[in-house]
Amino acid sequence: MPRMKAIAAAVQILQREGVRHAFGVPGAAINPFYAALRERGTIGHVLARHVEAAAHMAEGYTRTRAGNVGVCVGTSGPAGTDMITGLYSAAADSIPILCITGQAPTARLHKEDFQAVDIAAIAKPVTKLATTVLEPAQVPGTFQQAFHLMRSGRPGPVLIDLPFDVQMADIAFDIDNYEPLPIHKPAATRPQIDKALDMLGAAERPLIVAGGGIINADAADLLVEFAELVDVPVIPTLMGWGAIPDDHRLMAGLAGLQTAQRYGNANLLASDLVLGIGNRWANRHTGGLTTYTRGRRFIHVDIEPTQIGRVFAPDLGIVSDAKAALQLFVEAGRERRDAGGLADRSDWVEQCAERKRTMLRRTHFDDVPIKPQRVYEEMNRAFGKDTRYVSTIGLSQIAGGQFLHVYRPRHWINAGQAGPLGWTLPAALGVCVADPEATVVALSGDYDFQFLIEELAVGAQFNLPYIHVLVNNSYLGLIRQAQRAFDIDYCVQLSFDNVNSPEVGGYGVDHVKVAEGMGCKALRVSEPGEILPALEEAKKLMAQDRVPVVVEIILERVTNISMGTEIDNIVEFEELATRGEDAPTAISALNLDQMQFLD
Ligand SMILES: Cc1ncc(C[n+]2csc(CCOP(=O)(O)OP(=O)(O)O)c2C)c(N)n1
Ligand SMILES: [Mg+2]
């Protein structure tokens, strides 16, 4: 058996498990790992400028391609604590990332050593496994178990904490003797699926709610095949957005309190049965449960047994990986079709499509300062179906969810449950590493953008070109809007007179100067007619200079975006679209004259 440092064995295992990229920040306690990484030379490394960002880069990397596991690396103490937000966000959205931290030597763990913190205890609630390895010979088995856990059942993150002496110790290890552990994924049985199809068949107005579990299982094609087979409309969740293309005739809209369309909610409210697959009835999707569940039956298919019944009791629960369930749904559905046993859904499908054509919000405003709705209209014009959007939270993300279009799985990359400000920029860099050929478009409010703004330099240093649409209202817009309920506008303003940049007109930070200072390109737009040319120019700059390009759009400071606390009571703040030209880039044109704008 060859002998090597335990950390060298760990690096070989990473490679064997398919890892080609890592994101991190070195420090004394993790230098053995960096030495092993350099010696092996098979895993690329992106040096983040904040350790939290390394974790979000790893998330973006995982979320881009089926099978990817993003790896983030940091030293002991504050590096680990910085990455906790990334672990939380990954755990919340069922995203596998592996976080590797250095640690003080084992003999000094209890001595309040420099940067020795019990990171495994801190990370426990937000990981599937968080462990400090105390025996060098356990390093290979711990990594083996980590990959097994991250990929089995409900996917999620793992933290492995490695004391300095454990990394450095010699162990016997032969990678040729290493085999990844089998992955465990529960699968529905045929009787369970038959029961679900009986219920679906008995319903008059059924819908499928397609969650992120379908994306994780790489089962979007099967979802569309099944929906077409039984002719049942689909409401994707925010995490499932892209599982069915927005322009598919069975795509019935997003439902929810914020990132939703009017027709999505209306379609959900009109249904009498919902088949949820790989979803978790998130509260910003359901709103009040009485409204959401009244008058309809529910089937819930999820890979994690304890998710069934967590939010409300379904009429039927099935524990299954989404792909395994959908394979059986398609198989059983075909048999029913061939036997003439499928209901004719054409009236119900047409009712849903009619709402999609008519229940639109207005996007076409010519106002200066620019109204945010107009930004998304221009983005729809500028960006094609293969664009990978990245966003996190705020009015910017909510309006993006209402007005943008997504056509493919993993093309709406969003930190859904945790919503940590600052996520967008580093996550977009992780997406660029995972898919260097993609057109990556990030969408941030000014505050989200400022949270981890230093990562722009990482994009410039490592030549990770993408377009960052920065909608600047000089406000913590979402919180400002929420404070209306308290009748305050308090601690939410980002405006100040910038002594170096009077041209930003009291909006505070000069993002163009910051971005340029970081080695990126940047454009600023103040009039609606300039948005599309700026986005086109950004594409050129991105291709030419191979660095991130920021397109800052100066918005009207106060614009409220549609939202509410119940899906039947969403507050609209603007007049609705009544003519085709009010919503020219909506998926279904309000009138035929607008067909020219559809892709
Ligand atoms: C780490 C963190 N702190 C606080 C919040 C709460 N929060 C959500 S949105 C928001 C303001 C976002 O402002 P901006 O990014 O400018 O977007 P806008 O709503 O103005 O479009 C805040 C503070 C959060 N999501 N994450
Ligand atoms: Mg803002």
Side-chain angles (χ1 to χ4, degrees):
M1 201 63 128
R3 294 193 69 81
M4 64 185 74
K5 289 195 177 71
I7 198 64
V11 169
Q12 290 192 17
I13 292 169
L14 291 179
Q15 190 188 339
R16 177 74 178 77
E17 294 279 0
V19 174
R20 297 292 173 269
H21 298 277
F23 306 88
V25 175
I30 194 69
N31 265 340
F33 175 83
Y34 277 87
L37 208 60
R38 181 173 186 273
E39 189 183 332
R40 190 103 194 133
T42 49
I43 296 176
H45 182 271
V46 173
L47 176 62
R49 275 171 163 72
H50 187 307
V51 203
E52 178 183 345
H56 298 327
M57 287 175 195
E59 285 188 73
Y61 180 83
T62 296
R63 292 172 194 244
T64 306
R65 274 195 205 283
N68 273 7
V69 173
V71 173
C72 52
V73 189
T75 192
S76 57
T81 56
D82 276 350
M83 289 190 280
I84 293 296
T85 303
L87 291 170
Y88 162 41
S89 159
D93 288 344
S94 313
I95 301 300
I97 61 170
L98 177 61
C99 180
I100 302 171
T101 48
Q103 181 57 282
T106 45
R108 301 213 296 265
L109 284 179
H110 60 297
K111 291 181 190 285
E112 297 189 0
D113 213 43
F114 177 66
Q115 292 186 338
V117 69
D118 188 354
I119 194 67
I122 294 171
K124 214 143 245 157
V126 291
T127 50
K128 294 183 82 174
L129 169 73
T131 182
T132 301
V133 186
L134 298 175
E135 284 295 334
Q138 283 185 305
V139 167
T142 307
F143 277 78
Q144 194 175 27
Q145 176 74 345
F147 281 96
H148 167 70
L149 284 175
M150 285 189 288
R151 292 173 166 147
S152 291
R154 180 181 183 181
V158 165
L159 176 134
I160 300 179
D161 184 43
L162 298 168
F164 190 87
D165 53 320
V166 170
Q167 296 179 59
M168 295 296 287
D170 264 355
I171 60 166
F173 180 74
D174 184 354
I175 191 69
D176 293 336
N177 203 36
Y178 179 90
E179 201 51 45
L181 295 174
I183 295 162
H184 170 69
K185 289 186 181 177
T189 66
R190 184 60 196 264
Q192 289 173 322
I193 295 298
D194 281 332
K195 174 82 184 132
L197 283 177
D198 289 345
M199 287 172 67
L200 194 77
E204 286 177 11
R205 299 176 308 281
L207 282 178
I208 298 168
V209 165
I214 293 175
I215 311 252
N216 282 347
D218 215 19
D221 288 350
L222 280 168
L223 166 79
V224 175
E225 189 179 349
F226 173 60
E228 288 174 351
L229 186 65
V230 290
D231 209 21
V232 169
V234 178
I235 301 255
T237 68
L238 189 65
M239 297 306 297
W241 198 12
I244 183 167
D246 269 9
D247 59 351
H248 192 286
R249 69 179 184 87
L250 291 172
M251 162 57 170
L254 302 177
L257 301 179
Q258 296 179 327
T259 50
Q261 293 90 26
R262 294 175 62 228
Y263 53 86
N265 282 336
N267 283 333
L268 197 126
L269 288 165
S271 70
D272 66 349
L273 179 132
V274 171
L275 165 58
I277 305 177
N279 67 309
R280 57 176 191 85
W281 315 116
N283 69 308
R284 290 197 178 185
H285 164 73
T286 62
L289 290 175
T290 309
T291 307
Y292 188 80
T293 57
R294 192 191 297 127
R296 61 193 60 85
R297 306 181 79 199
F298 287 89
I299 306 167
H300 191 196
V301 181
D302 198 82
I303 196 165
E304 167 55 43
T306 62
Q307 288 295 87
I308 309 288
R310 181 183 293 278
V311 177
F312 59 83
D315 297 278
L316 175 65
I318 298 175
V319 177
S320 180
D321 167 59
K323 185 181 237 168
L326 280 162
Q327 278 164 344
L328 280 185
F329 270 124
V330 168
E331 178 190 297
R334 278 200 194 124
E335 288 173 21
R336 289 184 188 220
R337 178 200 57 197
D338 295 346
L342 290 181
D344 177 357
R345 302 285 180 203
S346 43
D347 282 354
W348 165 237
V349 168
E350 176 48 30
Q351 287 164 29
C352 291
E354 175 68 10
R355 292 188 195 97
K356 190 172 172 182
R357 278 194 293 274
T358 54
M359 299 186 72
L360 297 174
R361 295 187 176 118
R362 184 172 167 193
T363 58
H364 199 76
F365 294 92
D366 290 321
D367 307 49
V368 181
I370 297 167
K371 277 188 150 331
Q373 292 85 348
R374 179 67 185 266
V375 175
Y376 307 95
E377 183 183 307
E378 301 301 339
M379 287 172 77
N380 286 336
R381 290 197 173 100
F383 301 120
K385 292 186 171 179
D386 54 358
T387 306
R388 290 191 192 264
Y389 288 112
V390 185
S391 195
T392 312
I393 195 159
L395 291 183
S396 46
Q397 173 251 10
I398 292 169
Q402 296 180 6
F403 298 115
L404 291 177
H405 304 318
V406 177
Y407 299 90
R408 302 200 172 127
R410 301 179 189 278
H411 283 58
W412 172 256
I413 295 176
N414 192 170
Q417 189 186 156
L421 284 170
W423 190 89
T424 308
L425 203 170
L429 296 176
V431 174
C432 291
V433 172
D435 187 359
E437 304 307 317
T439 303
V440 179
V441 176
L443 170 63
S444 287
D446 40 327
Y447 204 45
D448 174 47
F449 188 71
Q450 288 168 18
F451 251 65
L452 286 169
I453 198 168
E454 75 294 330
E455 303 306 311
L456 282 174
V458 178
Q461 180 179 353
F462 289 87
N463 290 117
L464 300 170
Y466 76 97
I467 296 176
H468 207 130
V469 176
L470 161 59
V471 284
N472 183 358
N473 51 18
S474 194
Y475 250 123
L476 280 58
L478 177 58
I479 310 307
R480 178 204 54 71
Q481 184 169 332
Q483 286 190 353
R484 294 167 76 247
F486 299 84
D487 208 17
I488 57 169
D489 186 316
Y490 186 57
C491 304
V492 289
Q493 314 227 351
L494 296 169
S495 50
F496 61 91
D497 286 324
N498 185 326
V499 292
N500 298 310
S501 301
E503 65 272 25
V504 302
Y507 270 53
V509 174
D510 185 337
H511 298 104
V512 169
K513 274 191 190 158
V514 177
E516 287 176 353
M518 296 279 181
C520 299
K521 289 286 183 183
L523 307 161
R524 181 179 292 131
V525 171
S526 311
E527 301 206 8
E530 298 169 355
I531 302 173
L532 187 58
L535 296 175
E536 296 300 339
E537 174 68 10
K539 288 183 202 168
K540 277 192 217 137
L541 289 171
M542 183 171 76
Q544 177 190 305
D545 295 312
R546 310 289 304 154
V547 294
V549 182
V550 178
V551 179
E552 180 185 33
I553 301 169
I554 304 296
L555 294 187
E556 174 177 71
R557 290 207 58 212
V558 174
T559 315
N560 295 312
I561 296 292
S562 313
M563 64 182 81
T565 52
E566 298 282 335
I567 59 169
D568 66 352
N569 191 20
I570 302 298
V571 183
E572 302 293 338
F573 295 92
E574 307 286 348
E575 59 188 285
L576 299 171
T578 53
R579 302 158 308 163
E581 57 262 41
D582 291 338
T585 64
I587 283 290
S588 299
L590 207 57
N591 68 39
L592 289 175
D593 293 339
Q594 302 302 319
M595 286 304 281
Q596 55 186 324
F597 291 112
L598 292 180
D599 190 344

